[in-house]
Amino acid sequence: MDSIFQKYCCVLVLLLSLYYPLQADGDCDKKLALAEEYFREGKLETFEDSLEESLVKCIPGFENNKQVDALRLLTIKALLKNDNQKADHYFSQLLEISPEFRLDLSQQTDPAELIYLYKSFRTRPLLSLDYQAGVGITGVNTAQRFAVDNSLSRPSYGYVPGLVLGGEAMLPFFNRNLGLVVGLNFNRKQFTYSDVLETLSTTNSTQPDFTLNFTERQDWLEVPIMLRYDFDKKSIYNFERNALVPMIEGGISYARLVNAKFIQPQRFNSVTASQLGQDINVRDLRQHFQANLLVGGGLKYKWNEHYFFVKVRYSLGLTNVVNDENRYSPKNQDLIYTYGYVDDNFTVNSLSVIVGFEQTIYSPHPKNRRR
């Protein structure tokens, strides 16, 4: 009998625990509706302090949009009662919950005091962080040809997909559309090299004496410094950020070479036939620093206060990649005599398709102002 009574009590307690929160939620909705009614009647500053206290207690249990509505009404009430400190407190809470809150001027329902208060807060993003990855192709621009003695060289370059990984930060200035971008990216640039050598003593011009093929892989750490502009229509008061936002960017990057190698160079001649060699480290044959011109553009898709994005970026190499001092140095003797290879002067350009996520960081707070 006692066990049945205990089970009954447990069920009763459970039902009560489910009922009263629902009842409390209903009471909170009624309190918010009552405050809105006071506002519509132009008597918001007259509603009781007990209603304000109850509404404050209800805010944690509200959904996001109702939290914003309640804090907006509480802010207006404080302004109408000239309690600027409390108005700042409520409005700061509102912007923490909804950093992209804007006044609705279309209905002309917000009093001038709230408009002035809004203008006195810093509401643009503090910082945007981009986390990104992509693939790219690298093109080679030859500036000056070099070759082993007594030979006719006809090298050609091909495309191999590369890799881009990294992160960038944008600091808005003047307005939230225009910002300075600085980042750190890992960029793997790859391309193929093919050469056909015909010595001057060759009697059969249709049969090359020597061919060479390999893939050159260069790993760079790049620091881009750019300006970026988002084409997002809005005003400082009344807007909803577009779902799709075009953007453009441009600037420069400084890169440091981490590694460079020839991947399994393959040579062929009529005597030794085809031979596949080991990877060759050629970092000392490359300049360790490079400057690039960057231009790009893409689309951002809004998700809450953040974005997913896809963009295309073109990097134009401004400096020669080859270390002239080591072109014929002892470090290059194996390449010269075994493979018949000498570096041309060249720059590298790359075209990348990048996808990523942009995290928008806000820090709303009052500006220095006189009130």
Side-chain angles (χ1 to χ4, degrees):
M1 188 70 176
D2 290 339
S3 60
I4 295 175
F5 178 76
Q6 291 175 352
K7 290 180 180 179
Y8 174 78
C9 290
C10 290
V11 171
L12 181 61
V13 169
L14 178 61
L15 292 174
L16 290 174
S17 66
L18 293 174
Y19 171 74
Y20 280 107
L22 293 174
Q23 187 183 48
D25 289 343
D27 288 343
C28 285
D29 289 339
K30 291 177 181 178
K31 289 180 174 64
L32 179 57
L34 182 59
E36 290 172 341
E37 184 178 346
Y38 274 109
F39 177 69
R40 286 192 298 270
E41 294 176 355
K43 302 177 182 179
L44 189 61
E45 73 277 15
T46 65
F47 77 63
E48 304 82 358
D49 290 341
S50 59
L51 177 57
E52 178 179 346
E53 293 173 1
S54 299
L55 202 55
V56 169
K57 292 179 181 178
C58 288
I59 287 174
F62 280 146
E63 296 178 352
N64 183 277
N65 60 329
K66 289 185 178 180
Q67 289 180 326
V68 171
D69 291 341
L71 287 167
R72 172 177 165 272
L73 293 173
L74 292 172
T75 300
I76 295 173
K77 178 178 185 288
L79 288 170
L80 295 177
K81 294 182 73 68
N82 294 319
D83 192 340
N84 294 329
Q85 184 175 359
K86 185 178 286 188
D88 281 354
H89 172 70
Y90 287 142
F91 201 63
S92 295
Q93 281 188 301
L94 187 155
L95 291 176
E96 288 291 337
I97 294 169
S98 180
E100 294 194 342
F101 170 81
R102 293 297 180 270
L103 304 179
D104 185 4
L105 298 187
S106 62
Q107 303 299 322
Q108 297 183 344
T109 56
D110 289 319
E113 292 85 352
L114 184 60
I115 296 174
Y116 178 83
L117 178 66
Y118 175 82
K119 291 174 65 176
S120 70
F121 269 72
R122 297 188 184 276
T123 56
R124 70 169 179 245
L126 177 67
L127 194 68
S128 295
L129 299 177
D130 291 355
Y131 312 96
Q132 57 190 25
V135 295
I137 55 173
T138 299
V140 176
N141 285 340
T142 302
Q144 186 176 1
R145 296 286 192 183
F146 292 85
V148 294
D149 293 339
N150 197 29
S151 67
L152 300 175
S153 177
R154 301 193 301 272
S156 62
Y157 299 89
Y159 300 112
V160 178
L163 175 68
V164 179
L165 290 172
E168 296 172 354
M170 175 177 143
L171 179 66
F173 56 89
F174 297 125
N175 58 50
R176 62 185 297 158
N177 289 51
L178 179 66
L180 175 67
V181 176
V182 179
L184 179 64
N185 295 318
F186 171 81
N187 197 335
R188 170 164 288 177
K189 300 179 180 181
Q190 301 184 118
F191 53 88
T192 61
Y193 175 95
S194 299
D195 197 8
V196 177
L197 298 179
E198 295 180 3
T199 66
L200 296 178
S201 61
T202 299
T203 57
N204 182 5
S205 61
T206 62
Q207 178 62 42
D209 288 344
F210 192 93
T211 63
L212 175 64
N213 301 281
F214 60 80
T215 296
E216 179 167 350
R217 176 182 296 168
Q218 300 174 2
D219 292 336
W220 297 88
L221 282 180
E222 294 186 329
V223 177
I225 303 172
M226 301 180 293
L227 291 178
R228 190 176 81 193
Y229 188 83
D230 296 343
F231 292 90
D232 198 359
K233 297 179 182 179
K234 53 193 172 294
S235 72
I236 63 172
Y237 301 127
N238 180 26
F239 77 91
E240 289 186 3
R241 293 182 68 84
N242 298 331
L244 283 176
V245 180
M247 63 175 175
I248 58 173
E249 58 187 15
I252 58 175
S253 74
Y254 295 98
R256 177 175 174 79
L257 184 65
V258 177
N259 191 25
K261 62 175 64 177
F262 294 168
I263 307 298
Q264 293 186 328
Q266 185 176 26
R267 62 177 184 171
F268 173 85
N269 61 45
S270 57
V271 177
T272 62
S274 180
Q275 293 186 358
L276 189 65
Q278 299 294 319
D279 294 353
I280 301 175
N281 190 324
V282 294
R283 186 172 184 270
D284 290 336
L285 303 182
R286 302 288 175 259
Q287 297 287 355
H288 291 179
F289 292 93
Q290 186 182 29
N292 305 282
L293 180 66
L294 302 177
V295 292
L299 284 174
K300 303 195 302 183
Y301 177 78
K302 192 175 189 310
W303 182 71
N304 294 332
E305 289 93 25
H306 311 298
Y307 295 90
F308 293 98
F309 64 83
V310 57
K311 60 185 174 181
V312 177
R313 179 179 292 176
Y314 182 72
S315 172
L316 175 66
L318 300 177
T319 52
N320 180 27
V321 177
V322 175
N323 186 338
D324 293 326
E325 297 179 357
N326 291 339
R327 192 191 313 276
Y328 293 107
S329 74
K331 297 179 180 180
N332 198 23
Q333 295 304 300
D334 187 52
L335 286 173
I336 294 174
Y337 292 109
T338 303
Y339 293 98
Y341 175 84
V342 177
D343 276 320
D344 297 328
N345 281 349
F346 65 91
T347 60
V348 292
N349 310 321
S350 63
L351 181 67
S352 302
V353 178
I354 300 170
V355 297
F357 177 74
E358 178 181 317
Q359 178 186 6
T360 308
I361 299 175
Y362 289 88
S363 180
H365 60 275
K367 304 174 186 177
N368 295 328
R369 64 185 189 264
R370 294 180 180 179
R371 296 192 55 184

